Amino acid sequence: MYVSHQGGQAAPDVGTSPPDGRVNRLNSSPGASPDRLSVADEVASAMALKLAKPALARFARALYAGVFIGLAFVFYLTVTTGAAGAPWGLVRLMGALAFSVGLILVVLLNMELFTGTVLGAIPWTEGHIGAARLLKSWGTVFVGNAAGAFLLVAMVSLAGLWQLDGGLWGIHAINTALHKLHHGWWQAFFLGVLCNLLVCLGVWLTFLTKSPGTKALLLVLPVALFVSSGFEHSIANLFLLPLGAVFAAIIPEPQLLAHGLDSQALAALAPANLLVANLIPVTLGNIVGGAVLVGLGLFRLERLGSCKGTAATNSAIKLTTPGANVSRALKLVPASTARANAVNQHAISAQTFFAVKENKLMNTHLSILTVKDILEPATSLEPGMGLWQALEEMHRVGESLCPVTDNGGRLVGVLSAQDAIRGLWAEEFGADSSYCVRDLMQKSLSTLSPDEALLPLLEFWVVNREALFPVSTEGHWLGGQYQAYEERLRGAAAVTPAVLPVVEAGVLKGMVRREALTGLLCSAVASPAPSPAQV
């Protein structure tokens, strides 16, 4: 279940979020930090937000990232030029440490680098975006990185940096570029895999901290490892290989020949060979190393660690979200692994309790129910529908809140009667209101899956655990003056939406209502508890 941190200002009769934007979460452990996401969920959320940005903004950030990575290579060449007599490993290490400044600039300034953008495969596998949109995003960033790298090649060439150290700087750049073109196709591919395995691991590590200084330190060693070991980075090569070709054209021929760089050797710098011998296999390798080994690998690994228990309890932590083509409109914040584990533990404990205490109101009958057992059909609105028309439709079906879907039935938001009336009020209730549903609908919302367990949802709807158990993780009381349990219970009402949409693969399946719990609890009293074998 995805829970918004913002919470729309829905009508009071359908539930609102607290004024500070806090939302009660399903089965948060007493004293646990409800807003702390697992690293995998933070990465997934960050990638989803990046994919939601306009293409032009992403291109501009990608251009800067291309410049930053090119500058890192300039630093590398400067540090390693003229160091032929020094120990090979030490020279590589010093150059690699210098190169790490590029990725530090990209990450701390929140720029778009292709080798990190491939982590966008995570929201794709979760069904939040389509393959076409993912590939378009990768293409936008790659082209932006290339534009930035080429721009820096022009500036470095015009600045005459090839003349540093008596011209050895330029010769070193050419030799480094030629070395990258002498790999076999598969060798270049796997050097690309290894490179982006380390780059994305470094990026992953930065989600462990909020401190910019710590983020920078966490990036240094993974980057230093891949650079000093000679692994291949597609965007760095988009700078170095064209730079080598340009230097081969502008450095005087006698100087080139003096260092063994004749026309036959320099022929490897032809544009077609740059693509076939290096850029294509390295780019594909970068995708596999980052998207598959790190993105999908670590994300699925964490999911395996959090999905324990019975099939019934697993459904309580199934992640659902509105459709791929509306991820820009919806702010999605995945549930944390810690909270998911709490859901599991609570459901397991509940089932055990119900099996023993069959005479209690919350008996085993409830523990085996899922969201689909209280699912109701929903009347949906279209994003382009006028507010007057939407309000009339809501009045006709007797609803104070309706989901908003696109032509494919995918959920894009919800609109309450209060939302519609507020928009009409803003235009003095004119008959020709210019606002439509998409202008006033709430885009930050919670969704459910049909197979989610009902008990965690029940608690989400009726109990504010933080008010009921105001203690820190160390057991310290946080509630001010001590209150008896009954007093805290009286004030522990959950402030959560009373109506929630249910989606499957992004498509709206219906709605569930808090008021349905009354009939459900009454049926639980009347129903005999099944035997343990039935559970």
Side-chain angles (χ1 to χ4, degrees), residues 429-441:
F429 297 99
D432 56 346
S433 172
S434 62
Y435 288 130
C436 60
V437 168
R438 71 165 57 89
D439 298 319
L440 275 298
M441 68 182 184

Side-chain angles (χ1 to χ4, degrees), residues 166-184:
L168 289 179
W169 199 94
I171 297 298
H172 183 40
I174 295 175
N175 283 327
T176 305
L178 289 173
H179 172 73
K180 291 180 174 292
L181 298 170
H182 292 159
H183 303 313

Side-chain angles (χ1 to χ4, degrees), residues 401-425:
L401 180 142
C402 285
V404 183
T405 59
D406 63 11
N407 292 334
R410 293 182 175 274
L411 182 68
V412 298
V414 294
L415 183 80
S416 69
Q418 184 187 51
D419 294 330
I421 295 172
R422 185 169 62 255
L424 295 172
W425 169 85

Side-chain angles (χ1 to χ4, degrees), residues 230-272:
F231 301 157
E232 296 287 340
H233 190 282
S234 57
I235 306 307
N237 291 352
L238 277 173
F239 168 75
L240 179 68
L241 297 179
L243 183 69
V246 171
F247 281 1
I250 65 176
I251 295 177
E253 185 175 1
Q255 188 171 347
L256 293 173
L257 293 173
H259 291 87
L261 297 173
D262 55 21
S263 59
Q264 184 177 358
L266 297 176
L269 293 170

